[in-house]
Amino acid sequence: MVEVGFFGAAGEVTGSMHMLDTGVDKILLDCGMFQGRRKESREKNENFLINRSEITTMVLSHAHIDHSGRIPLLTKEGFSGRIVTTRPTKDALDYMLLDSGHIQESDAQYLNYKALRAFLYQAEQSKTKQQISNKEKAGIKKLLKKSPHELNVGAIAALHKEHGLGMVTPLYTQEEALESLSFIDGYPFGSEVTIGKGTTVKFYVAGHILGSAFSLITVKPEHGGKPLKILFTGDVGRFGKPILKDPTLEFDEEDRDIDLMIIESTYGDREHAPVADLAGSLKETLTRTIERGGSLLIPSFAFGRTQELIYILHQLYDSGTVPKVPIYVDSPLASNITKVFGEHPETYDKETHKTFLEKGINPFYFKDIKFVESVEESMRVTQDDTPHIVISASGMCEAGRILHHLRYKIHNPKHTILIVGYMASHTLGRRIEELGLQRKQASGKAPEVKILGKAYPLRAHVEKLGGFSAHADCHELMQVVAESNLRVKKIAVVHGEAEQSAAFAQRLNENGYDAFVPKCGDVFKLA
């Protein structure tokens, strides 16, 4: 009996994780991190619904953290198999997982700092029987920091222990992330890779981000008979986007009969703006902002979205149709991932080869762009009041340097916050998006958003360019199913908020397919 279990991104967007049980092997499909409310995400990320020591192999669709981010938790708790993915994805993970480990450590350190600082403020207040002064607060902060930008981690740990305070521990460390990389093997698209007894995977281009793949898994019966075919899409890309090849529609003849397709539905009931409008829309937003004397802040995923923005800005600057203000890519991870893009031109589409490579031009580097590395340089950019563009992580505004750019500029109406991707429920990015769009329809006092524990009025303009999404919309998802040469028996709709998954499953059923939306923990029996 072959079974598929759904253990993450079933009825929700993040935390992609499914498992194929062939009766001999247990093969994990993705091992993604849940993202959203801190407490809820922590609980979900720590709580594997699968015995990690029983998993024999893992297949990874792509390197985004909501698909790969729990790999270090997998490898440090009993998993002894291999993680199979594409070569570009393996190269990207060298940076993505280490960065995730750094974020886990930094978040834990900051929460410990805040808790201890509040405890010491309260203790000092109790002694003096009055509100403590700013000078006394500054003295406590100085005790807990080595510099304005660096916490004194050792002193914080010692004081937590001295006062009997519980400490927040990171989900995993950079060292554990580094150790997990030794489990990962990268393979070319189109090659058949053995992942279990009588079981193989072949990767087809998914077009979502660099290295993203449709994973075509074949399970051959032990005693002969027709093989079972499972197609896991991971995240599906858009058609006609710059840089990368489009999602595959032509599959090898032996891979056309699919017993179960597991397909994402992030935008299962939504339409995107046309891809062709991306440059024009960005040009209009940038021009309006610069004319106001403001800056353009773009929260962006370091992997994929940032490189696409750089590519389009490169074209706009070359055309001479926009004001050439400085562009700051303020994310060390984005800088490293951009290097990975440069190492894999075999994944580029024909337009990128024609526009840049055949002319000997690197699509991702030009004289007006600056990759910011140090924290000190990043802080100087946050305080720069002259017009500029900042592209900074994290894409959902949950962590990273974008938070500092926002807190310095979110209160000023001359600036623009440009939303260029999906913002999950309960993230700061979603709140900014929703409040910003509400402000356009109402007057009165500016709404407030909380950034790093402090409330700020949202007076900056908030714009959204949906065409930048790396996810297929409802029509493009349908295109993969209906216009490919596949013959699909059954479709499981995952990786979408409940209403999006339900709507896309309904669309599929209305078009003659047999689709369902699994809940977390559901198991589907194939044979």
Side-chain angles (χ1 to χ4, degrees):
M1 177 68 69
V2 176
E3 299 178 341
V4 177
F6 304 93
F7 300 104
E12 57 192 342
V13 177
T14 65
S16 179
M17 183 186 291
H18 315 291
M19 191 172 74
L20 173 64
D21 186 345
T22 69
V24 179
D25 296 289
K26 292 187 175 180
I27 300 163
L28 196 64
L29 307 179
D30 283 356
C31 192
M33 186 176 289
F34 290 93
Q35 296 165 315
R37 289 187 178 125
R38 187 185 297 275
K39 185 179 178 182
E40 180 186 12
S41 295
R42 176 79 187 210
E43 289 173 354
K44 284 186 173 183
N45 285 322
E46 287 181 325
N47 182 27
F48 270 72
L49 300 178
I50 306 165
N51 186 333
R52 283 166 269 191
S53 64
E54 293 181 358
I55 299 167
T56 53
T57 310
M58 178 188 153
V59 174
L60 177 63
S61 65
H62 65 286
H64 273 154
I65 291 299
D66 65 322
H67 292 256
S68 70
R70 284 201 282 174
I71 286 175
L73 291 177
L74 173 70
T75 58
K76 76 173 186 175
E77 292 290 344
F79 175 74
S80 58
R82 303 302 299 165
I83 298 169
V84 176
T85 189
T86 66
R87 285 177 177 170
T89 294
K90 180 183 185 300
D91 292 345
L93 287 173
D94 288 346
Y95 299 107
M96 296 288 286
L97 291 181
L98 286 178
D99 181 75
S100 181
H102 171 70
I103 289 171
Q104 303 308 316
E105 288 182 339
S106 298
D107 280 357
Q109 290 166 4
Y110 184 70
L111 289 171
N112 288 326
Y113 160 73
K114 280 184 65 178
L116 181 60
R117 186 185 66 186
F119 173 81
L120 295 177
Y121 282 177
Q122 191 174 17
E124 191 64 29
Q125 243 170 249
S126 298
K127 281 194 293 184
T128 59
K129 306 293 184 185
Q130 61 183 10
Q131 189 75 24
I132 63 172
S133 67
N134 288 335
K135 184 178 179 181
E136 288 168 318
K137 287 181 179 179
I140 290 171
K141 288 180 182 178
K142 189 175 180 181
L143 174 69
L144 305 180
K145 287 188 171 185
K146 289 183 178 180
S147 72
H149 309 303
E150 184 182 3
L151 298 177
N152 190 333
V153 177
I156 291 169
L159 286 167
H160 265 271
K161 186 175 181 180
E162 179 184 328
H163 294 288
L165 303 174
M167 288 195 63
V168 176
T169 57
L171 199 59
Y172 53 83
T173 64
Q174 291 182 77
E175 183 179 349
E176 288 165 339
L178 181 62
E179 289 171 358
S180 74
L181 295 176
S182 65
F183 289 77
I184 303 169
D185 296 326
Y187 294 91
F189 284 97
S191 61
E192 199 166 40
V193 183
T194 298
I195 55 173
K197 186 176 180 181
T199 306
T200 61
V201 66
K202 187 188 294 184
F203 295 118
Y204 288 89
V205 171
H208 173 61
I209 59 168
L210 184 78
S212 62
F214 295 152
S215 305
L216 194 293
I217 298 171
T218 302
V219 183
K220 296 176 182 176
E222 190 174 354
H223 303 294
K226 190 174 180 293
L228 289 170
K229 300 276 185 179
I230 299 99
L231 180 66
F232 174 48
T233 69
D235 286 348
V236 181
R238 299 200 64 194
F239 290 85
K241 289 287 289 293
I243 307 174
L244 300 177
K245 296 174 183 176
D246 286 350
T248 302
L249 294 179
E250 291 294 320
F251 293 80
D252 294 341
E253 180 60 37
E254 66 270 20
D255 293 332
R256 291 181 61 188
D257 291 305
I258 304 299
D259 294 280
L260 177 67
M261 173 186 277
I262 306 169
I263 190 169
E264 68 121 322
S265 59
T266 310
Y267 290 99
D269 196 31
R270 296 180 186 140
E271 297 182 26
H272 292 320
V275 169
D277 291 348
L278 285 178
S281 300
L282 181 56
K283 173 184 170 182
E284 290 175 11
T285 302
L286 174 59
T287 302
R288 284 197 301 268
T289 303
I290 302 307
E291 285 174 351
R292 289 196 301 266
S295 293
L296 187 62
L297 304 185
I298 311 179
S300 178
F301 296 112
F303 189 2
R305 191 64 38 78
T306 292
Q307 291 73 35
E308 189 177 349
L309 286 162
I310 292 170
Y311 181 99
I312 294 174
L313 286 167
H314 193 167
Q315 289 182 312
L316 287 173
Y317 274 43
D318 282 355
S319 72
T321 59
V322 294
K324 293 184 179 180
V325 298
I327 302 168
Y328 298 102
V329 178
D330 191 8
S331 164
L333 176 60
S335 301
N336 287 323
I337 292 296
T338 303
K339 294 174 189 172
V340 176
F341 265 77
E343 293 164 0
H344 288 281
E346 76 279 4
T347 64
Y348 300 170
D349 60 15
K350 291 179 181 177
E351 181 189 351
T352 303
H353 278 271
K354 184 177 179 181
T355 305
F356 291 106
L357 299 191
E358 290 175 10
K359 299 174 184 176
I361 301 171
N362 188 318
F364 308 110
Y365 294 92
F366 52 105
K367 68 180 182 66
D368 300 285
I369 195 164
K370 168 70 174 174
F371 289 86
V372 178
E373 296 296 334
S374 70
V375 173
E376 290 74 19
E377 186 180 4
S378 175
M379 293 307 292
R380 285 196 294 271
V381 174
T382 64
Q383 297 170 52
D384 182 359
D385 203 38
T386 61
H388 57 267
I389 301 169
V390 170
I391 304 169
S392 185
S394 73
M396 296 188 192
C397 307
E398 283 296 284
R401 295 181 181 181
I402 189 61
L403 296 177
H404 299 284
H405 293 284
L406 288 170
R407 70 189 180 95
Y408 271 90
K409 292 185 168 69
I410 198 168
H411 63 279
N412 193 324
K414 73 179 182 180
H415 301 305
T416 300
I417 301 166
L418 182 62
I419 307 296
V420 294
Y422 180 78
M423 298 294 184
S425 297
H426 313 304
T427 60
L428 175 60
R430 173 69 75 90
R431 181 161 174 77
I432 290 172
E433 178 184 340
E434 290 176 345
L435 291 176
L437 297 178
Q438 287 172 19
R439 270 195 69 221
K440 290 184 177 181
Q441 302 162 4
S443 56
K445 185 180 177 182
E448 289 188 338
V449 295
K450 199 170 268 191
I451 303 171
L452 296 174
K454 184 177 178 182
Y456 296 85
L458 173 56
R459 297 195 186 99
H461 290 254
V462 178
E463 303 285 346
K464 181 176 182 179
L465 300 185
F468 272 100
S469 177
H471 285 270
D473 67 8
C474 59
H475 303 298
E476 291 164 316
L477 289 169
M478 201 68 212
Q479 187 175 350
V480 169
V481 179
E483 296 184 24
S484 69
N485 64 347
L486 296 174
R487 296 179 286 260
V488 185
K489 288 183 181 177
K490 192 86 173 178
I491 303 174
V493 179
V494 299
H495 201 287
E497 291 175 355
E499 66 277 8
Q500 297 297 317
S501 295
F504 187 58
Q506 181 179 342
R507 182 187 293 261
L508 287 166
N509 288 321
E510 288 171 352
N511 280 272
Y513 296 95
D514 187 358
F516 68 103
V517 180
K519 299 187 294 294
C520 187
D522 282 356
V523 175
F524 177 75
K525 296 180 180 180
L526 274 160

